[in-house]
């Protein structure tokens, strides 16, 4: 694919980007790693542990001090390069919490980076400084329970919470549709000028875009309620009706999203599960 792999793209003063070579049906052209700062640098979402990508990041950093390596969440396309980059630069790994797998049950699957070990976890509203300018953690659970966005100046690094090319995958048990909607509403009440997502182009109309994403999920919820109101249905049947013409590679993810809606609707007392079948309550 023709994309700027391993090349430094300067987006605006103090914000640059390097695209990793891990394209897929879930990552678009790949993971975009951001470099914040001018005299010193914070690296956001170091990405997959690929030699070419780490080399490109080292080159982009040049002789500058790395203040922090920051992860929005611990999916394998985001955090695995944190440790090797920390070893190269001596910088601390700062940002999202590791998933507390022991205490919350089997929430993770192969998509999670179980080796992620931060030096410092940022809670909602905590910040570090780069060139004297804060990088603020904004807790946005939903895509994963540990997801953070980072606010920097009048920009927001949105990780996978808001993406520039596709809707976000929200799959239980770690993904949570109600939390995801609350986290979108949280962004709706903020006023950043532009979003820089980990996948896809920058979002230059964030307020409108977030309202659109919320509307899209509410439409999906309505559609699912209508389908299970007609008769009891298993998830694959709901997917076939709700996502006509879906890319076959995305059927499993769509099933996960439908499940996320159903779990949320069940908690609100609107649907019931009987074995494989879901029906209106
Ligand atoms: Zn992710």
């Amino acid at each position: 694919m023709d994309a700027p792999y391993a090349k430094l793209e300067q987006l605006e003063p103090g914000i640059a980007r390097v695209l990793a070579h891990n394209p897929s049906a879930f990552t678009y052209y790949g993971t975009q790693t951001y470099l914040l700062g001018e005299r010193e640098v914070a690296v956001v979402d170091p990405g997959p542990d690929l030699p070419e990508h780490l080399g490109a990041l080292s080159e982009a950093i040049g002789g500058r001090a790395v203040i922090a390596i920051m992860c929005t969440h611990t999916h394998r396309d985001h955090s695995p390069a944190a440790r090797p980059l920390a070893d190269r630069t001596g910088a601390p790994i700062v940002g999202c919490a590791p998933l507390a797998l022991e205490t919350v049950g089997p929430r993770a699957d192969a998509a999670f980076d179980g080796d992620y070990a931060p030096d410092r976890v940022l809670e909602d509203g905590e910040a570090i400084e780069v060139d004297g300018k804060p990088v603020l953690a904004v807790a946005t659970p939903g895509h994963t329970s540990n997801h953070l966005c980072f606010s920097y100046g009048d920009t927001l690094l949105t990780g996978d919470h808001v993406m520039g090319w596709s809707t976000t995958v929200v799959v239980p048990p770690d993904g949570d549709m109600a939390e995801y909607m609350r986290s979108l509403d949280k962004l709706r009440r903020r006023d950043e000028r532009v979003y820089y997502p980990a996948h896809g182009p920058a979002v230059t109309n964030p307020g409108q875009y977030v309202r659109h994403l919320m509307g899209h999920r509410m439409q999906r919820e309505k559609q699912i309620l209508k389908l299970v109101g007609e008769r009891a249905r298993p998830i694959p049947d709901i997917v076939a009706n709700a996502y006509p013409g879906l890319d076959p590679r995305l059927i499993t993810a769509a099933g996960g999203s439908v499940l996320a809606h159903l779990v949320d609707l069940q908690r609100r007392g609107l649907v019931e599960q009987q074995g494989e079948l879901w029906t209106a309550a």
Side-chain angles (χ1 to χ4, degrees):
M1 266 192 279
D2 188 24
Y5 294 119
K7 289 200 177 68
L8 183 68
E9 298 173 273
Q10 192 71 43
L11 303 170
E12 54 182 278
I15 305 180
R17 180 171 76 186
V18 178
L19 175 64
H21 197 276
N22 60 332
S24 79
F26 296 98
T27 62
Y28 196 47
Y29 287 101
T31 304
Q32 300 176 125
T33 300
Y34 290 92
L35 280 75
L36 307 180
E38 296 186 83
R39 290 187 307 280
E40 49 191 31
V41 204
V43 177
V44 175
D45 279 342
D49 184 1
L50 300 174
E52 176 199 62
H53 188 57
L54 279 161
L57 291 178
S58 291
E59 199 171 309
I61 292 161
R64 296 178 290 174
V66 180
I67 295 299
I69 298 161
M70 310 181 80
C71 297
T72 58
H73 66 299
T74 48
H75 273 149
R76 294 200 61 81
D77 56 323
H78 288 257
S79 54
R83 184 51 57 192
L85 192 62
D87 291 344
R88 283 187 190 198
T89 60
I93 300 171
V94 172
C96 72
L99 281 182
L101 302 178
E102 306 77 20
T103 54
V104 293
R107 297 176 78 137
D109 55 34
F112 282 89
D113 172 14
D115 298 327
Y116 172 74
D119 298 292
R120 181 182 165 199
V121 171
L122 290 183
E123 304 294 336
D124 185 43
E126 286 191 321
I128 61 147
E129 287 199 349
V130 184
D131 289 337
K133 195 171 157 181
V135 184
L136 177 86
V138 180
T140 46
H143 172 65
T144 61
S145 57
N146 61 353
H147 197 288
L148 299 178
C149 294
F150 297 115
S151 176
Y152 178 69
D154 61 358
T155 73
L156 190 72
L157 298 143
T158 52
D160 283 1
H161 177 53
V162 173
M163 299 198 287
W165 73 291
S166 160
T167 55
T168 291
V169 173
V170 178
V171 176
D174 191 61
D176 185 302
M177 191 59 72
E179 284 197 316
Y180 170 73
M181 289 295 275
R182 275 195 292 276
S183 293
L184 283 179
D185 195 53
K186 186 173 185 174
L187 295 202
R188 195 179 56 78
R189 287 178 278 112
R190 299 182 60 88
D191 58 0
E192 276 90 2
R193 170 182 55 87
V194 59
Y195 288 177
Y196 290 118
H199 309 280
V203 176
T204 53
N205 56 343
Q208 196 188 344
Y209 192 71
V210 167
R211 282 193 300 278
H212 160 78
L213 291 177
M214 295 180 76
H216 168 76
R217 298 292 173 155
M218 287 189 270
Q219 275 302 113
R220 184 71 77 205
E221 178 185 285
K222 242 194 232 168
Q223 195 179 18
I224 291 169
L225 270 175
K226 180 169 174 285
L227 286 167
V228 299
E230 290 166 2
R231 57 182 169 84
R233 295 175 191 262
I235 285 175
D237 180 70
I238 299 172
V239 171
N241 281 283
Y243 299 79
L246 182 68
D247 180 340
R249 295 174 300 172
L250 298 178
I251 286 176
T252 306
S257 270
V258 167
L259 176 62
H261 277 292
L262 290 168
V263 167
D264 179 31
L265 290 167
Q266 188 178 36
R267 278 194 215 130
R268 287 151 56 196
L270 295 171
V271 303
E272 283 171 3
Q273 183 179 15
Q274 295 146 353
E276 297 291 294
L277 297 177
W278 292 84
T279 181

